[in-house]
Amino acid sequence: MAEDVGTLLRRLRERAGLTQEQVAERSGVSVRTIRRLENDRSTNHRVATLNLLADALGLEERDRLLLAATLAGSPAAATAEPAAGPDAGPRPGREPAPAQASAQTPEAAPPERVSERVPEQVPERVHDQLPVHGRLAEAAEELALEVRRRWRREEAQRRVHDPFPLPVRWTPAPAALTDRAENIQRLGPGEPPRAVDLDGDLRSLAEVYLRIPSGRLVVLGRAGSGKSVLTIRLALDLLETRASAAHRRVPVVFSVGSWDPSTTALRDWLVGRLLRDHPHLARRGPGGATLAAALVDGDLVLPVLDGFDEMGEGLRRDALDALNATAAPLVLTSRRDEYAEAVRAAHAPLVWAGCIELADLTPEDLADYLPRTDRGVPAAPASDDAVPPGSAWDTVLAELRTCPGPAHRNLAAVLTTPLMVVLARTLYSESGDRDPAELLDAERFPSVRTLSEHLLAGFVPAVYRRRAPERDTGGTRSGARYADAVRAERWLGRLAHHLVRTDRERHDLAWWQLGHELSRTARTVALVLATAVVVALADWSVGLLLVPLPAGELLLQGALMGPAAGLGFGAVYAMVDRSGGAAAFEPTRVRLTLRASHTGLGRRSLRTFFARLGQGLIGGTVMGIGCACALTLQRALAAGTPLAHPDVVAGTLINMLVFVLIFGPAAGFVFGLMAALEAPVDVSTAATPVSLLASNRATACRQFLVLAVALTLAIAFGGYVVVAGLRTVMGPLNWAVQDSLFIGAVCGLGGAAAYVLAFTAWGQWIVLARVWLPLAGRLPADPAAFLDDAYRRGVLRQTGAVYQFRHERLQHHLGRAFRGAHPDFAPAAFGPASPDGLPAAGRPVAGGPVAGGPVAGRPAVGDGESG
């Protein structure tokens, strides 16, 4: 078979009149790989590689199918002749070619590698995906793999299938919330609409979705009715459908509550979320755009937009208008009232979309589910003939069916949503020491609200009590420090409060944003102190090695240089933070590489280069002025020289000029050069909060190493050149080689460390979330381990690179409890509570240069005084 593949590829290439080098240039596949394929020395290449070659050769449909069938090992296909020209194909009255016949057999899955036996359905799937650029097809496959892996893990984490999934049913939504049938079916003028059956349950969700010709669906339901679990199941089922049929879009679940349609287009927001959660999609695709952008633009992503109701009230109409301006397939979930309000404001529902509304759980559903969650060991029967006792839920469920009292009605009303059933299961079935009969206590729980709050309040203590600390594969205890339910609840409440803003409530709990709980002033002060410390340490360390200063003078020099540099970095940080906010310090999705072939000189790279060049110039200028003033103060304290002496003032001004000319261009050039050395991070798995943190830690370390070397060389050699040039204008300047090395080393080590701490997400995480907030008692000592432990206990869920609370109602409950225990956090800013107990959504409204001459007995380092 390998010989047939090589021969076929060579014949197709020769027919196209192309050399191997020309095919390599068009496809991006190396000449060596093409030669190995054609000479039958390779039998283990990915299908995506052959897709690239097919695109480069401009193969027609029949040739593509012939190539796929040849890979499948069909003897008839291997002997078939390629199409003679663009019009080649099956003639009327003739039997289809064997390759085409095999393409009509719908069984099995596509191959991973060409050396494996390719099932008969492959040609059909190749027919569906080969028109897509080979690199995009491969990226779509990788994305599908990671989405499937992520949501299977999330289902296991939520224990959706233990003991079995709660039934989720629905009915068609009211006509006022649904577009006309002929629009949903995308019919032409005068075509009568046909009935589209939208009835079903969780097991048939993908089938129901695929019945909708437009591919657009709205899912409505109450809080806790199972919308999020339904979106997970839909994504997994569609991925299975995609693998077994010609459904090429990859369903990706997006938490749409974080989208601001007034500032960001839907397409740009989708691309940004893909880049955040799947960093490998930052690689360049066809046309120079990122793979994330190419997948969205190529209609290879099915957006599953979860949580429309979580958007700010004033944003929903704009969001619905933006969605109605597109015709792309999508799925949208929302609570009914919020969606109905947006429909009224926009004067139209989601166009072309079918609409379903989730139904409540029934008493029969509870009778099937809750007793099976109680796995406690019952007491032994008194005799062999005695009937063994049943579950503790049996009594409660029996009373619900027979007693019409208020307490029974309240409990029956509460246990109509999967969220509340899961909370009741966690609190009673899994604790082992509580009797669910207490839920029927009318005096303790006089209303539906009090009963719901009881279940919400008991969830966190229950999960922190029942789960013992575990050890991971490295032998480290997981969750051992967070078994205290009281402290865990307090920290979770603070995190829930952290997500509340004056305009609307967020839901993404990102590790790189935890420090933004502090005010801008507090953040700036913390980073000024951190950068001052690292620059002072660099000054002391380099001074001990290069300049034999007395201990007292060396300590004084570092103590003055550190704050001067810290103020410079703090000033630049404040400007960047004010202009860009939290988005300016998001985790980087790049790595540093010396291979220029990965970088390119596109417009985006040039913009990044000039932006960093400007930031470096500003920072270097501030640093130069600060260092000159610090050196003057050092001279005054060490030698007793008056600060107002004319020679001191003149020396200070000269030092300012020298240092600004050295530090500004050097910092600007180095930071701009780093932009040219950046390439997309090359990962094969989707980002999780833990993996993204580890990845950015490694990136920050590499940035430090590159910056330290580059800054040291730029300032050392640049300083010598600048001083040599100034000597021709200003006369002799006291600047020796030792001075250049000293200042270069201090600025290289201290400046690189300060840059990493102040201007990277990982650095701010260390300074603010790992040091400042734990010292203030606002977070545990290891917030990342705490968040991961809360996720494993089921309090949080993972959505790509961020965490979210398991449910919006749990987040609201913990936030209200925290604000109730801390009156300083005024609850009035969060608006009145809505009827279901949730707050109403808001409306977006270096060396020791000394002026004044050299110090006796040693050279003055960086003295900027003219002779």
Side-chain angles (χ1 to χ4, degrees):
M1 184 198 76
E3 181 180 0
D4 293 334
V5 172
T7 302
L8 177 59
L9 282 175
R10 183 166 56 254
R11 293 169 65 184
L12 290 171
R13 178 179 60 78
E14 292 173 350
R15 192 193 69 191
L18 298 175
T19 65
Q20 292 179 342
E21 289 75 12
Q22 290 172 325
V23 175
E25 183 178 356
R26 291 187 179 189
S27 65
V29 179
S30 68
V31 175
R32 181 181 178 185
T33 300
I34 297 173
R35 187 176 297 118
R36 287 172 60 87
L37 271 172
E38 291 189 358
N39 294 336
D40 308 323
R41 293 199 302 269
S42 177
T43 59
N44 195 30
H45 282 275
R46 298 171 64 93
V47 172
T49 301
L50 300 170
N51 293 345
L52 290 172
L53 297 177
D55 291 338
L57 294 172
L59 298 185
E60 297 295 330
E61 178 181 333
R62 182 167 179 253
D63 292 334
R64 292 174 182 269
L65 296 177
L66 176 62
L67 177 59
T70 305
L71 297 179
S74 169
T79 60
E81 289 292 330
D87 297 328
R91 304 294 184 185
R94 296 179 58 183
E95 295 295 327
Q100 294 169 312
S102 65
Q104 299 170 3
T105 307
E107 295 179 359
E112 286 297 328
R113 303 187 184 274
V114 302
S115 61
E116 301 173 358
R117 173 72 180 178
V118 181
E120 295 176 343
Q121 186 223 342
V122 169
E124 178 180 347
R125 193 172 177 213
V126 171
H127 171 73
D128 176 59
Q129 294 201 0
L130 270 178
V132 180
H133 192 283
R135 198 179 309 170
L136 280 187
E138 185 175 1
E141 291 296 333
E142 291 178 352
L143 178 61
L145 177 65
E146 295 309 323
V147 170
R148 182 185 296 110
R149 181 183 303 166
R150 170 178 297 168
W151 293 122
R152 282 179 176 173
R153 183 174 64 245
E154 192 67 25
E155 274 196 334
Q157 191 69 29
R158 298 191 190 193
R159 304 169 68 188
V160 171
H161 298 281
D162 180 18
F164 59 86
L166 275 166
V168 178
R169 308 181 190 87
W170 56 81
T171 58
L177 303 180
T178 308
D179 200 357
R180 300 173 64 92
E182 52 266 40
N183 293 336
I184 297 174
Q185 298 171 30
R186 307 303 302 269
L187 299 178
E191 296 184 59
R194 63 184 184 280
V196 178
D197 183 14
L198 297 182
D199 291 331
D201 56 23
L202 192 62
R203 295 169 296 182
S204 60
L205 180 58
E207 178 185 348
V208 171
Y209 171 76
L210 294 175
R211 294 174 195 158
I212 304 174
S214 66
R216 292 163 73 94
L217 174 66
V218 177
V219 180
L220 304 178
R222 295 194 294 142
S225 60
K227 297 185 296 295
S228 295
V229 172
L230 182 141
T231 60
I232 295 175
R233 179 38 47 190
L234 175 62
L236 290 173
D237 288 346
L238 286 179
L239 286 172
E240 295 300 325
T241 303
R242 181 178 184 271
S244 60
H247 179 71
R248 66 178 188 174
R249 295 185 184 89
V250 181
V252 182
V253 181
F254 299 91
S255 295
V256 75
S258 61
W259 175 37
D260 186 349
S262 64
T263 60
T264 308
L266 176 64
R267 178 261 185 195
D268 296 338
W269 180 79
L270 293 175
V271 171
R273 282 300 179 267
L274 284 175
L275 290 173
R276 184 196 72 179
D277 297 340
H278 305 273
H280 64 287
L281 296 181
R283 292 176 294 183
R284 297 296 168 183
T290 63
L291 287 174
L295 288 173
V296 173
D297 294 340
D299 196 23
L300 294 176
V301 173
L302 173 64
V304 182
L305 307 177
D306 185 28
F308 178 80
D309 53 279
E310 296 171 1
M311 302 182 71
E313 181 182 353
L315 298 175
R316 295 184 200 129
R317 174 180 176 176
D318 293 340
L320 190 56
D321 287 339
L323 295 176
N324 285 342
T326 70
L330 59 88
V331 178
L332 182 72
T333 75
S334 176
R335 286 186 287 182
R336 174 175 172 171
D337 292 343
E338 284 78 357
Y339 179 72
E341 181 182 355
V343 169
R344 287 192 295 269
H347 304 292
L350 182 65
V351 296
W352 301 314
C355 189
I356 59 176
E357 185 170 7
L358 302 186
D360 290 341
L361 297 175
T362 65
E364 291 74 19
D365 297 331
L366 302 180
D368 291 336
Y369 183 81
L370 286 174
R372 290 180 58 176
T373 64
D374 184 9
R375 295 186 172 99
V377 179
S383 65
D384 294 340
D385 297 333
V387 178
S391 165
W393 287 105
D394 291 339
T395 304
V396 176
L397 295 171
E399 290 200 30
L400 285 179
R401 288 191 295 266
T402 58
C403 301
H408 301 75
R409 289 195 296 270
N410 290 341
L411 181 58
V414 167
L415 297 181
T416 55
T417 63
L419 171 65
M420 288 300 164
V421 173
V422 170
L423 294 179
R425 164 197 173 148
T426 303
L427 194 56
Y428 293 100
S429 294
E430 298 172 6
S431 63
D433 58 352
R434 305 189 67 166
D435 186 356
E438 69 181 17
L439 296 174
L440 297 173
D441 188 342
E443 294 183 359
R444 185 177 175 186
F445 309 116
S447 66
V448 170
R449 181 186 177 90
T450 57
L451 196 54
S452 300
E453 288 296 317
H454 165 71
L455 294 177
L456 288 166
F459 177 72
V460 171
V463 297
Y464 276 86
R465 180 177 63 249
R466 66 175 172 82
R467 184 176 181 271
E470 298 177 354
R471 291 183 179 272
D472 58 22
T473 55
T476 304
R477 286 183 300 173
S478 172
R481 289 170 291 176
Y482 312 115
D484 186 345
V486 175
R487 289 196 302 168
E489 190 167 13
R490 182 176 71 250
W491 287 327
L492 290 168
R494 180 177 288 278
L495 292 173
H497 169 75
H498 159 73
L499 296 175
V500 178
R501 303 191 311 189
T502 55
D503 55 349
R504 59 192 172 106
E505 188 163 5
R506 296 170 295 163
H507 299 277
D508 291 344
L509 192 59
W511 57 261
W512 61 90
Q513 294 177 347
L514 293 182
H516 284 260
E517 176 186 344
L518 298 167
S519 64
R520 178 178 289 114
T521 301
R523 295 197 302 272
T524 303
V525 169
L527 292 170
V528 165
L529 293 177
T531 53
V533 168
V534 296
V535 172
L537 290 174
D539 188 278
W540 292 332
S541 302
V542 176
L544 290 174
L545 297 175
L546 296 182
V547 183
L549 292 176
E553 190 172 345
L554 181 61
L555 288 175
L556 177 62
Q557 178 176 283
L560 292 176
M561 291 288 290
L567 290 174
F569 276 97
V572 177
Y573 169 81
M575 289 188 294
V576 175
D577 187 40
R578 183 174 293 276
S579 61
F585 306 105
E586 290 187 353
T588 180
R589 293 184 295 270
V590 298
R591 60 184 173 91
L592 300 178
T593 178
L594 297 178
R595 292 177 294 175
S597 60
H598 286 268
T599 58
L601 293 176
R603 294 182 179 179
R604 185 174 182 179
S605 299
L606 290 176
R607 286 198 302 267
T608 304
F609 174 83
F610 286 113
R612 294 192 182 181
L613 176 65
Q615 293 173 3
L617 288 172
I618 295 174
T621 300
V622 175
M623 281 280 295
I625 295 173
C627 287
C629 295
L631 294 173
T632 298
L633 182 58
Q634 176 195 349
R635 178 63 179 174
L637 295 176
T641 306
L643 292 176
H645 193 279
D647 291 339
V648 174
V649 174
T652 302
L653 294 176
I654 293 173
N655 276 339
M656 286 184 182
L657 175 62
V658 172
F659 289 149
V660 166
L661 291 178
I662 294 174
F663 293 166
F669 172 76
V670 169
F671 294 156
L673 181 62
M674 287 189 64
L677 295 178
E678 290 177 346
V681 66
D682 187 13
V683 297
S684 59
T685 58
T688 64
V690 174
S691 67
L692 186 60
L693 179 59
S695 172
N696 274 260
R697 178 173 62 246
T699 299
C701 291
R702 289 193 294 269
Q703 286 178 316
F704 169 77
L705 294 176
V706 174
L707 273 174
V709 174
L711 280 174
T712 298
L713 295 177
I715 292 177
F717 288 102
Y720 198 80
V721 170
V722 168
V723 172
L726 289 176
R727 281 173 178 158
T728 62
V729 179
M730 304 178 64
L733 294 175
N734 189 10
W735 187 284
V737 174
Q738 188 179 17
D739 302 334
S740 291
L741 293 177
F742 178 83
I743 295 177
V746 171
C747 292
L749 293 175
Y755 176 89
V756 168
L757 292 179
F759 299 108
T760 67
W762 181 80
Q764 293 193 36
W765 156 262
I766 292 295
V767 174
L768 302 177
R770 288 301 308 270
V771 177
W772 194 274
L773 289 173
L775 287 177
R778 298 187 181 186
L779 285 179
D782 191 350
F786 173 73
L787 292 173
D788 187 61
D789 179 66
Y791 164 68
R792 297 181 186 279
R793 295 178 187 269
V795 180
L796 302 178
R797 64 185 182 188
Q798 283 184 5
T799 303
V802 299
Y803 292 105
Q804 293 179 345
F805 281 91
R806 180 179 183 130
H807 195 274
E808 182 185 11
R809 294 193 65 177
L810 179 62
Q811 175 182 328
H812 291 156
H813 169 80
L814 292 171
R816 286 197 305 271
F818 174 79
R819 291 188 289 271
H822 300 79
D824 293 342
F825 297 94
F830 307 105
S834 60
D836 61 357
L838 307 179
R843 294 181 181 273
V845 232
V850 183
V855 178
R858 66 177 179 87
V861 183
D863 194 342
E865 182 186 6
S866 59

